[in-house]
Amino acid sequence: MNYNDHQTSNNTVIMNNNIKECNSYTSDEDAERFRETRPAKNGLSGFIKNPYVFFTAIFASIGGILFGYDQGVISGVQEMEDFVNRFPMNSTQTGFMVSILELGAWAGSWIIGYFADRIGRKYSIVLSTVVFLLGSALQGGSQSVSFLLGSRFVTGMAVGALSLLVPLYQSEIAPPDIRGSLISLQQLAVTFGILISFWIDYGFTYVNGQASWRVPLCIQIAFALILGIGIIFFPFSPRWLMGKGREEEALQVISKLRRLPQDHPLVLEEWKDIKATVEFDRIVERQQYPQYVDQGGKGRMMIELMGYRDLFRKGIVNRLFIGSAIMFFQQFTGMNAMVYYAPKIFQSVGLTGSSISLLATGVVGIINFVMTFPTVFFLDVLGRKTVLMVASVVMAICMIIVAAITGSFQDDWPNHTAEGWVCVAFIYVFIANFAYAWGPIGWVIPAEIFPLRCRAKAMSVTTSANWMCNFIIGLIVPVMLENITYGTYIFFACFLIISFFFVWFFVPETKGRSLEDMDEIFGGQSAVHDAQIMNEVQNRINQEHMNGTRKGA
């Protein structure tokens, strides 16, 4: 890997000395002893022992709060009296108004990948927050339905971009021991955004006029300003720096993140791991697409396109199907219908008055947030498959009970208020089971089943499937509630039953399984071949370091 010409010979000498000092740990025996004696720092203890990383990750998670807030705030806003009078819409138009955010997010999640590689994760977050500020300001100042739709699409583009960028940035600055916990941290941030949006909506039911809905839509601007300005002062991703040939800067960032000197064995070991991953990617490109390597922008574009084509090869396409299907079922459980239309749903089960339905909606936010915590602590104990199957069964039972009660008493709720509150209780049970299962695990499994060479592209496909299904749910639910009423809950119950059998027959248990194990399950030799290449790269880098040499000059 060649270095930029602006790097000084002094930096090179420092790096070589650091590498030589670490060489005492790079023989097989010593390296193994070093790994065994290295303290494990998992979960909460890992955050406490890595306070700089923890603070950086918490700050970046503001992007998750924006994601959750903008999804949740519209559920109460669409019920505000002034909003309804100013923007009269039928159920179809309401569905499109809500779901166009997800359509924008789908587009944003595709577009931002280019910028993430071109200008870096950090500056891409800044760019996304600028777009978010524009969309939010236009949304809060909307004067017509078309104005509102356009502004929500723009805001959605930023939401989709941040939903990809924040976990990517967090995973690339975190020590390997706590990367899994950071995924749960992002999910917690999303549920926290939903939680505060619900309660802000409830508070503003007591405000008259335009402020009742314009202020909730504009509050998120403050969060975006904090994220966009503050992230500038945080480090670049060391993985991105390494990919750009800025290896000394990558070492400096790792040293700062770990609060250790640049010549510390842990710092140099992580630096070498990142370098090996970058070189692995380049070797795979040369092996698979030699005709497009070193062909400039056009060659890079063809490599990207061919990478997506390779997702449909044997041993990968079945994984792609499972990952996309998991995202499909995550949305067709009906959870986001609860997020987007909770007040309408609570009204459909007999709760009267906008303040009462919004109060019940606020409880949804609390349950969703609190019940995400068990996943952080027990996911790697209980596994993925069993948890998903149990949740599907319980959620299906809840939807069937709600459908039965609603179908029996929807024409006479005033005389059956107790039955209405029973429906509310089962909706809360439904939310709790989604929060610990399909919510976070839906994102975990796709990250675990793909081999290294195609994981990023495969996950971009599964993520886009999530957003598109999200868009469909937001579009159809108000029409369903109006036309088939309790049939809406039967609809979701059917998909939950199907999800149970899908997980049972098609989804493997990935707890504690390596990528090589995935090859045995799905077929193909991608992971085994990738492991061989990675082993060769790591051996070469270690040998170079032991000799005190570096590639290029």
Side-chain angles (χ1 to χ4, degrees):
M1 186 179 297
N2 293 326
Y3 286 84
N4 296 334
D5 293 337
H6 71 271
Q7 293 174 323
T8 65
S9 59
N10 183 53
N11 281 342
T12 302
V13 171
I14 291 174
M15 176 68 79
N16 284 335
N17 289 337
N18 292 343
I19 290 168
K20 289 176 181 178
E21 186 169 343
C22 186
N23 284 339
S24 60
Y25 292 93
T26 56
S27 68
D28 291 341
E29 182 179 347
D30 289 344
E32 183 64 27
R33 185 171 64 253
F34 176 71
R35 282 189 290 269
E36 289 176 355
T37 57
R38 186 172 56 182
K41 301 175 182 179
N42 298 310
L44 182 60
S45 63
F47 288 140
I48 294 173
K49 294 176 182 179
N50 294 274
Y52 186 77
V53 172
F54 179 58
F55 179 70
T56 304
I58 286 287
F59 189 86
S61 292
I62 295 174
I65 294 175
L66 293 175
F67 174 15
Y69 186 94
D70 213 18
Q71 283 191 306
V73 72
I74 199 65
S75 67
V77 162
Q78 61 184 305
E79 301 298 321
M80 304 291 188
E81 183 178 355
D82 187 83
F83 183 88
V84 173
N85 293 334
R86 191 174 295 271
F87 304 110
M89 291 179 281
N90 58 35
S91 59
T92 302
Q93 292 171 323
T94 299
F96 190 67
M97 183 270 296
V98 171
S99 63
I100 196 171
L101 179 88
E102 278 63 51
L103 190 62
W106 176 81
S109 65
W110 281 106
I111 295 170
I112 200 61
Y114 169 80
F115 293 98
D117 288 334
R118 186 75 175 179
I119 64 176
R121 286 67 160 129
K122 185 172 81 167
Y123 288 149
S124 293
I125 290 175
V126 175
L127 175 64
S128 299
T129 55
V130 171
V131 176
F132 187 92
L133 288 168
L134 175 64
S136 297
L138 292 174
Q139 197 175 174
S142 295
Q143 301 297 321
S144 65
V145 173
S146 59
F147 198 147
L148 181 64
L149 294 177
S151 62
R152 281 187 60 77
F153 181 84
V154 173
T155 307
M157 291 181 67
V159 168
L162 288 170
S163 72
L164 183 148
L165 288 169
V166 171
L168 179 63
Y169 179 71
Q170 288 177 328
S171 67
E172 291 182 349
I173 65 169
D177 295 332
I178 62 172
R179 281 176 188 156
S181 297
L182 285 180
I183 296 176
S184 299
L185 181 64
Q186 171 69 2
Q187 181 69 17
L188 279 173
V190 173
T191 58
F192 181 71
I194 295 172
L195 168 64
I196 61 175
S197 72
F198 283 169
W199 286 102
I200 287 173
D201 281 345
Y202 175 69
F204 274 87
T205 58
Y206 298 99
V207 176
N208 296 320
Q210 300 180 42
S212 64
W213 61 273
R214 291 195 190 275
V215 174
L217 288 176
C218 290
I219 284 176
Q220 57 194 337
I221 291 175
F223 290 108
L225 281 172
I226 294 171
L227 176 62
I229 296 173
I231 198 68
I232 295 174
F233 300 97
F234 285 88
F236 287 100
S237 157
R239 170 68 170 75
W240 180 78
L241 289 171
M242 189 72 75
K244 294 298 181 181
R246 296 157 63 175
E247 298 189 8
E248 267 83 9
E249 289 181 63
L251 181 69
Q252 293 165 7
V253 168
I254 296 170
S255 174
K256 184 177 182 180
L257 288 169
R258 307 299 172 254
R259 298 191 308 156
L260 295 170
Q262 294 183 26
D263 59 357
H264 193 281
L266 278 175
V267 172
L268 287 172
E269 182 187 34
E270 186 171 348
W271 180 87
K272 288 189 293 180
D273 287 343
I274 295 173
K275 181 175 181 179
T277 301
V278 171
E279 291 199 10
F280 167 86
D281 290 341
R282 292 175 177 171
I283 289 173
V284 169
E285 285 183 0
R286 293 190 188 99
Q287 288 183 350
Q288 292 187 305
Y289 320 112
Q291 69 274 32
Y292 300 121
V293 176
D294 301 324
Q295 295 298 314
K298 183 178 179 180
R300 169 54 52 188
M301 182 180 68
M302 289 303 300
I303 289 174
E304 292 295 317
L305 292 175
M306 296 298 284
Y308 282 105
R309 185 202 66 176
D310 290 343
L311 295 178
F312 295 93
R313 291 183 174 177
K314 182 180 178 181
I316 303 297
V317 66
N318 48 349
R319 307 185 204 204
L320 187 67
F321 167 71
I322 288 175
S324 299
I326 288 288
M327 291 299 195
F328 170 85
F329 284 117
Q330 186 193 59
Q331 294 304 314
F332 276 79
T333 60
M335 173 59 187
N336 274 341
M338 304 295 172
V339 173
Y340 301 145
Y341 303 109
K344 291 183 184 297
I345 288 171
F346 285 124
Q347 289 167 11
S348 76
V349 297
L351 297 192
T352 58
S354 60
S355 61
I356 294 177
S357 62
L358 284 173
L359 179 61
T361 299
V363 177
V364 167
I366 294 174
I367 294 172
N368 189 31
F369 177 66
V370 172
M371 289 304 296
T372 304
F373 279 96
T375 305
V376 177
F377 301 111
F378 301 116
L379 181 61
D380 288 323
V381 176
L382 300 175
R384 289 82 164 121
K385 185 168 184 171
T386 301
V387 173
L388 288 178
M389 292 170 65
V390 169
S392 291
V393 171
V394 177
M395 292 165 71
I397 291 172
C398 291
M399 287 290 96
I400 292 170
I401 292 173
V402 171
I405 296 176
T406 304
S408 301
F409 303 112
Q410 63 182 354
D411 295 327
D412 191 23
W413 282 123
N415 294 319
H416 298 89
T417 55
E419 288 84 352
W421 282 106
V422 171
C423 287
V424 172
F426 277 101
I427 288 174
Y428 288 160
V429 174
F430 172 92
I431 299 294
N433 279 268
F434 177 89
Y436 73 75
W438 282 97
I441 297 177
W443 296 99
V444 170
I445 289 179
E448 295 178 322
I449 62 176
F450 295 106
L452 184 62
R453 68 175 62 197
C454 66
R455 186 180 302 163
K457 290 182 176 61
M459 290 188 65
S460 72
V461 173
T462 59
T463 301
S464 68
N466 181 282
W467 282 116
M468 186 53 65
C469 293
N470 208 332
F471 167 72
I472 294 170
I473 290 297
L475 188 65
I476 66 175
V477 166
V479 179
M480 294 172 67
L481 286 172
E482 181 178 340
N483 292 285
I484 64 174
T485 60
Y486 68 89
T488 305
Y489 308 113
I490 296 176
F491 174 83
F492 290 127
C494 290
F495 279 105
L496 283 162
I497 293 170
I498 295 172
S499 72
F500 171 84
F501 289 103
F502 175 80
V503 173
W504 188 5
F505 289 111
F506 295 104
V507 178
E509 177 54 70
T510 56
K511 181 189 71 171
R513 307 295 292 271
S514 68
L515 291 178
E516 289 77 7
D517 293 333
M518 294 300 132
D519 277 351
E520 296 178 7
I521 295 170
F522 294 106
Q525 293 295 318
S526 296
V528 172
H529 184 54
D530 289 353
Q532 292 173 346
I533 296 175
M534 180 62 78
N535 186 55
E536 292 173 2
V537 170
Q538 290 173 334
N539 288 339
R540 185 172 69 250
I541 291 174
N542 283 335
Q543 188 62 43
E544 291 173 355
H545 289 178
M546 291 176 70
N547 295 332
T549 61
R550 299 174 65 185
K551 296 176 63 178

